[in-house]
Amino acid sequence: MSRTQASPAEIMIRKIERGVTNKTIAATLGVTEQAVGFVFQGRSRSPRLRAAIAAALGWPESRIWPDARGRKPRTERQAIQEVA
């Protein structure tokens, strides 16, 4: 694991610090908690969900998913506007 990739524990701590849950992310996007969980688990690679999760955590996508390196970071507002 590279030094810039967040570990599962770091992700959990960040979620707690920012008051973010799978339920709140799902409600914001109009998807199920299961869909959000699948993205965190790597079972789904939805760019829309990844962008919204990263924005909610205040990190670039590549901090959570190393295969996202090189993508232009989006702000939380941009990610939310894309789903609206």
Side-chain angles (χ1 to χ4, degrees), residues 6 10-18 20-21 25 40 51-60 64-65 76:
E10 290 173 315
I11 293 169
M12 182 60 67
I13 290 167
R14 185 69 167 203
K15 286 171 73 176
I16 292 167
E17 289 173 345
R18 295 184 63 111
V20 173
T21 65
I25 294 169
F40 273 115
I53 289 168
L57 296 178
W59 283 340
I64 306 164
W65 301 282
E76 185 173 0

Side-chain angles (χ1 to χ4, degrees), residues 24-62:
T24 59
I25 294 169
T28 300
L29 298 174
V31 298
T32 65
E33 288 179 63
Q34 184 179 30
V36 175
F38 283 169
V39 174
F40 273 115
Q41 296 167 13
R43 294 175 66 187
S44 173
R45 300 178 75 188
S46 166
R48 178 176 78 113
L49 293 179
R50 280 184 169 197
I53 289 168
L57 296 178
W59 283 340
E61 290 178 52
S62 61

